[in-house]
Amino acid sequence: MKFAENWLREWVDPKLDAAELGHQLTMAGHEVNSVESEGKKLIGVVIAEVIAVNPHPNADRLTVCQVTTGEGEPVEVVCGAPNVVAGMKSPLAAPGVRLPDGTKLSRSKIRGVESNGMLCSAIELGLGDEADGIIALPDDAPIGLDLSEYLELPDNIFDLDLTPNRGDCFCVLGIARDVAAITGATVTMPELPQVSATIEDSHPVEVEDPSACPRFAGRIIRNIDPDARSPIWMTERLRRSGLRAIHPVVDVTNYVMLELGQPLHAYDLALLKGAIRPRLARKGETVMLLDEREVDLAEDTLLITDDSGPIGLAGIMGGLSTAVSEATKDVFFEAAFWPPSVVAGRARSYGLHTDASLRFERGVDPAGQARAVERATELLIGISGGDAGPLMDLIDDEHLPAARPISLRKSRLKKVLGAEIKDDRVVEILTDLGLDVQQNADGWAAVPPSFRFDLLIEDDLIEEVARIYGYDLIPETTATAELPLGPVIETEIDLEQVMATLIARDYQEIITYSFIGAETNNRFTGKDSELVLSNPISSEMSVMRGSLWPGMVAVAAANVARQQERVRFFEIGKSFHGSLGKPVEVVRVAGLAVGSAVPEQWGRRAQGVDFFDIKSDLEALLAMVGTETRIDYEAASHPALQSGQVANIVRDGQTIGVLGKLHPAIAQTMDLNKDVFLFELDAALAFASNVPKSFAVSKFPAIRRDIAVVVDDKVAAADLVRVAASSAPDLIQSVTIFDVYQGPGIEVGRKSVALGLILQETSRTLTDEDADAAMDAAVRNLEREFAAELRD
């Protein structure tokens, strides 16, 4: 929001200079991005009239102008502006004048012709960015007058970064209200007289859906002067607010929008075909907008229509078919209240961003439409003449926002701010902001004004009190609180430890979206998700993920496509299951490995990661839960993993996760030409730890006995270890597999597995007889369970 300080001071004039005013606005929540000064360095620049324009004798693009300031003889000025013509008035900087950029002018010869100064463009005087011609001043501009005096300079241009909830401050009136509340100054409203109708003409308006247009004000103005031009004070205020003067009718609507915050639209009455009807778009409709762009209309877009069809996007931009032009003599002004819910997002959906949509999306005063039409009528008749018809104001009270009292408790105010503000000051602040305040035993009940639609709950009022009172006046207090030591839960492994372990094993953490495509979710889980988003960002993010793998694989594919040969990721996040009525969220730990097993190095031949590499990472993780827990890996099937390289991770008989190799078909769809290995754990089930138990370390030496047995190659090594260890549980402390062999000397379909038995007692030294007995028991049990043969 940009506005001129001089304009604001017509409404409210606090005893603050520009810098102090900017500071107060920022402290009140209206961040001042910049304050730019204009006109402070225009000393000696006066208004001059161009009497004659002749071609330069030695340059095709230059002219020699005879210029007068009303005193003395006309002077000769060489000018290169394409718009210079005899009879025009423009700023003249005479020799000796210093321009805002520091250039000091002097008499000089330009291509052999002496030039006594310069006719100035806007950019040369620091009054805008236009550099393609000199400034053309109105015909009634008094020659010889200082330009600064004529343009009411110097002035400061404030550029505010307003928060989205303060739609009421996108106008001079809104800023003036807040400045008055902050500084204690008085708002002086310019006279906004009601314009009496001099003709009885009106235009029919039919509102089909009052909920989308609960208020519509309008008025006809006939017989305006098409040759009239906007006065300099208006065009300057528009320019300083970032808008260009176009035509008196358009300039008036822009001026009223900047002044009062209500966007208006003006139609050429002669181009309207029948009644104006706000309604939703219909399938296949299009509209040609003022920027000469034709758009295909979505059916949720609110339109302005007449008998010819769409003539504008409500609250966004008017249509070209009814646009005001230089030939316009009869105008219909429209000022409507479009609820934010009707306009929000529509402009962006068409690639538009207009001053009107900016204000309507944030909300305009639902009580300001008639006032805006009255103000626009007064201004236009003052500029262009004309005859005004009666003011039309269609209101549907049922669908207009209704102000409701908000309770503000003294106790809550003190608790949130940490300071006690006097009751009288609270009432003064809220009253200055336009609220109707009633005091009660607990605090206050306040009814917001119609323009403060952002005030809905108690904390909104607390924020208003704080920002007007002054955040810097609220004393700083050091909070004190008891901080008891929390219990250390030994039955849960902190996920921070899980993260640290995975990072230590060369994994990097990533975070992916919880939304994925329905087809992708089915591909990875084998199920259609019932958790479908009602308003997804895109079709690729339409359901809640049932697994962490889809996002991880997509990230891996992106990294591999960027020549990352070795990728190892993990993610800790939620997967989502169940139905919309009974959703279930599960915290999971998932990992992915692609590429070589270890970083490239000269001392070791490169080897691709395989199933057992990622299984070893899992075992390192699960070792944290304690030795009392039994972890098994059972062959399984999974829709996202390749058959034969899938295992369920089972803890004490309960499945807690899965690991395996990504199915080649899925890898191909994700543009991955490398083997991808994955694991996923249910965090709650996997990392529930056993309470540690202490035991004495044996003082007696351990004995090791090695055996090699030949078994069917489908026998799991884990089963061999389990049976061997259970053969003499009091003596066999652990069993280690140190060799697996298939080849010459072993039948096809069988394998040799070498087991190392570690035997130890806590109360005595074991004898050879003890060790031989334990080893014999292990061999017998292996023979019985697996038809194992002892290998010589």
Side-chain angles (χ1 to χ4, degrees):
M1 168 67 185
K2 295 177 71 173
F3 65 89
E5 182 183 3
N6 290 347
W7 192 2
L8 176 67
R9 289 190 184 274
E10 288 187 5
W11 288 77
V12 61
D13 191 10
K15 298 184 183 303
L16 302 172
D17 62 21
E20 292 169 334
L21 178 59
H23 174 72
Q24 291 290 342
L25 285 170
T26 297
M27 292 304 295
H30 306 312
E31 182 181 354
V32 177
N33 283 333
S34 64
V35 180
E36 297 180 0
S37 297
E38 285 192 354
K40 289 186 177 179
K41 299 180 179 179
L42 296 183
I43 299 172
V45 179
V46 298
I47 299 173
E49 181 177 2
V50 179
I51 299 174
V53 178
N54 298 304
H56 193 290
N58 302 316
D60 294 338
R61 295 186 179 182
L62 298 179
T63 56
V64 180
C65 304
Q66 299 297 317
V67 179
T68 181
T69 60
E71 295 183 0
E73 296 296 321
V75 296
E76 201 168 62
V77 176
V78 176
C79 181
N83 66 326
V84 63
V85 294
M88 76 179 297
K89 294 180 179 179
S90 185
L92 172 67
V97 169
R98 191 177 296 275
L99 296 178
D101 65 359
T103 302
K104 186 175 181 180
L105 299 180
S106 61
R107 288 185 178 87
S108 60
K109 283 192 175 183
I110 302 177
R111 294 288 185 94
V113 177
E114 186 175 84
S115 181
N116 297 279
M118 181 173 69
L119 295 170
C120 303
S121 66
I123 196 169
E124 289 164 339
L125 297 179
L127 300 178
D129 298 328
E130 294 184 9
D132 56 349
I134 60 175
I135 296 175
L137 296 173
D139 294 339
D140 60 358
I143 61 174
L145 184 68
D146 281 352
L147 182 67
S148 296
E149 182 180 349
Y150 181 67
L151 297 182
E152 298 180 358
L153 296 171
D155 200 354
N156 293 304
I157 313 302
F158 284 75
D159 186 3
L160 304 187
D161 187 7
L162 298 173
T163 53
N165 65 312
R166 293 307 304 274
D168 62 302
C169 286
F170 279 92
C171 62
V172 175
L173 172 59
I175 297 297
R177 289 191 188 111
D178 256 27
V179 169
I182 297 164
T183 64
T186 302
V187 175
T188 304
M189 294 279 290
E191 289 188 18
L192 303 176
Q194 293 185 352
V195 180
S196 300
T198 57
I199 58 175
E200 296 182 358
D201 297 10
S202 63
H203 192 82
V205 175
E206 300 172 3
V207 179
E208 295 183 5
D209 183 3
S211 65
C213 180
R215 188 165 190 177
F216 191 105
R219 169 178 263 161
I220 286 176
I221 302 175
R222 291 193 181 276
N223 304 317
I224 64 172
D225 180 3
D227 295 325
R229 290 295 176 265
S230 300
I232 191 68
W233 63 265
M234 178 177 285
T235 60
E236 271 296 290
R237 286 183 175 179
L238 291 174
R239 181 189 66 77
R240 295 174 202 180
S241 299
L243 297 179
R244 181 172 57 90
I246 299 173
H247 180 279
V249 176
V250 178
D251 295 346
V252 163
T253 61
N254 285 334
Y255 185 87
V256 173
M257 176 185 69
L258 293 172
E259 183 181 52
L260 303 179
Q262 171 65 49
L264 296 94
H265 187 67
Y267 302 89
D268 187 326
L269 185 63
L271 300 178
L272 286 173
K273 311 295 183 185
I276 289 177
R277 301 181 188 87
R279 64 165 173 81
L280 289 175
R282 295 167 184 155
K283 187 175 182 180
E285 285 188 312
T286 62
V287 64
M288 181 72 73
L289 299 175
L290 286 171
D291 60 0
E292 299 185 0
R293 185 175 63 166
E294 186 174 18
V295 296
D296 297 321
L297 298 169
E299 294 182 48
D300 63 346
T301 302
L302 192 64
L303 305 177
I304 305 294
T305 68
D306 64 5
D307 290 347
S308 66
I311 57 173
L313 300 179
I316 301 174
M317 185 182 289
L320 189 62
S321 64
T322 57
V324 171
S325 68
E326 295 289 339
T328 298
K329 294 184 178 180
D330 302 327
V331 173
F332 180 74
F333 276 134
E334 164 233 299
F337 174 69
W338 312 112
S341 60
V342 173
V343 183
R346 304 305 191 277
R348 289 188 296 278
S349 69
Y350 294 108
L352 298 171
H353 179 76
T354 65
D355 290 319
S357 67
L358 174 72
R359 287 162 173 80
F360 280 120
E361 286 184 352
R362 287 156 176 77
V364 301
D365 185 356
Q369 288 67 45
R371 176 182 60 189
V373 173
E374 289 278 17
R375 178 63 164 157
T377 303
E378 175 206 2
L379 291 171
L380 184 59
I381 290 177
I383 296 169
S384 304
D387 301 308
L391 175 68
M392 175 193 61
D393 192 9
L394 304 179
I395 304 174
D396 188 296
D397 291 324
E398 180 184 351
H399 294 99
L400 280 176
R404 295 180 174 84
I406 305 170
S407 294
L408 174 58
R409 294 165 292 169
K410 296 178 185 179
S411 58
R412 176 68 177 168
L413 180 66
K414 182 178 179 180
K415 181 178 180 180
V416 173
L417 299 186
E420 190 164 352
I421 301 176
K422 292 182 179 180
D423 293 359
D424 292 346
R425 181 61 178 138
V426 173
V427 172
E428 180 184 15
I429 289 172
L430 296 179
T431 303
D432 287 348
L433 289 170
L435 285 81
D436 182 9
V437 183
Q438 299 293 327
Q439 194 154 2
N440 53 45
D442 295 331
W444 305 270
V447 179
S450 59
F451 56 84
R452 289 304 303 272
F453 30 78
D454 59 311
L455 302 181
L456 301 172
I457 60 175
E458 184 177 29
D459 285 352
D460 292 335
L461 297 187
I462 295 173
E463 180 184 4
E464 292 301 293
V465 172
R467 71 183 189 87
I468 301 301
Y469 181 78
Y471 294 115
D472 51 345
L473 297 180
I474 297 174
E476 181 179 342
T477 56
T478 302
T480 57
E482 293 184 5
L483 299 175
L485 292 174
V488 177
I489 303 173
E490 293 183 289
T491 56
E492 293 180 10
I493 300 297
D494 192 336
L495 291 179
E496 293 287 341
Q497 289 183 255
V498 175
M499 294 168 59
T501 302
L502 286 168
I503 291 170
R505 297 187 72 84
D506 207 17
Y507 285 79
Q508 297 182 59
E509 185 180 16
I510 63 171
I511 300 174
T512 62
Y513 285 111
S514 297
F515 314 134
I516 60 175
E519 183 180 346
T520 301
N521 187 74
N522 180 279
R523 189 182 302 139
F524 276 87
T525 65
K527 299 177 182 178
D528 290 327
S529 175
E530 296 184 35
L531 304 176
V532 181
L533 300 178
S534 59
N535 187 23
I537 298 172
S538 68
S539 60
E540 288 77 24
M541 305 178 79
S542 59
V543 302
M544 304 299 290
R545 65 185 179 188
S547 169
L548 276 59
W549 287 346
M552 299 183 74
V553 173
V555 173
N559 277 267
V560 170
R562 288 162 177 77
Q563 289 80 49
Q564 298 299 313
E565 297 298 327
R566 184 172 184 269
V567 176
R568 296 167 78 85
F569 292 143
F570 78 90
E571 181 175 4
I572 299 177
K574 291 181 179 180
S575 62
F576 303 87
H577 314 273
S579 63
L580 291 174
K582 292 184 177 181
V584 177
E585 299 180 7
V586 180
V587 177
R588 297 192 183 277
V589 177
L592 174 149
V594 178
S596 60
V598 296
E600 184 178 1
Q601 56 171 299
W602 66 270
R604 180 171 176 175
R605 184 169 56 87
Q607 179 178 336
V609 68
D610 61 20
F611 181 94
F612 297 101
D613 291 315
I614 200 166
K615 179 173 176 283
S616 70
D617 295 329
L618 265 175
E619 289 180 338
L621 274 182
L622 297 173
M624 292 189 293
V625 302
T627 57
E628 299 291 323
T629 296
R630 177 183 176 81
I631 304 294
D632 293 315
Y633 298 86
E634 298 179 354
S637 61
H638 191 282
L641 302 178
Q642 182 176 339
S643 178
Q645 296 208 47
V646 189
N648 282 337
I649 307 161
V650 180
R651 174 179 177 174
D652 295 333
Q654 183 178 26
T655 300
I656 60 171
V658 64
L659 80 155
K661 178 183 175 183
L662 183 67
H663 198 287
I666 296 178
Q668 185 176 3
T669 63
M670 306 290 280
D671 294 327
L672 272 167
N673 57 1
K674 294 178 177 289
D675 291 342
V676 180
F677 292 89
L678 304 152
F679 71 81
E680 190 170 60
L681 297 170
D682 182 319
L685 299 178
F687 298 107
S689 175
N690 295 311
V691 177
K693 295 180 180 179
S694 62
F695 56 89
V697 177
S698 178
K699 296 181 292 183
F700 302 97
I703 297 176
R704 173 168 176 151
R705 290 287 188 269
D706 295 340
I707 58 173
V709 293
V710 179
V711 296
D712 190 278
D713 62 3
K714 290 185 172 53
V715 174
D719 291 337
L720 295 174
V721 170
R722 174 178 53 81
V723 170
S726 64
S727 300
D730 294 335
L731 299 181
I732 301 176
Q733 297 299 314
S734 63
V735 178
T736 302
I737 295 177
F738 62 88
D739 184 52
V740 177
Y741 172 74
Q742 287 179 293
I746 303 296
E747 295 179 39
V748 176
R750 293 176 71 79
K751 63 184 176 182
S752 170
V753 180
L755 306 173
L757 281 60
I758 309 300
L759 300 92
Q760 191 176 36
E761 244 282 2
T762 59
S763 60
R764 63 186 178 87
T765 299
L766 296 180
T767 63
D768 288 341
E769 290 79 7
D770 294 327
D772 292 342
M775 187 173 68
D776 291 342
V779 171
R780 286 195 303 273
N781 288 340
L782 292 172
E783 290 174 345
R784 184 179 67 252
E785 293 286 339
F786 308 110
E789 298 177 2
L790 190 64
R791 184 182 175 195
D792 296 333

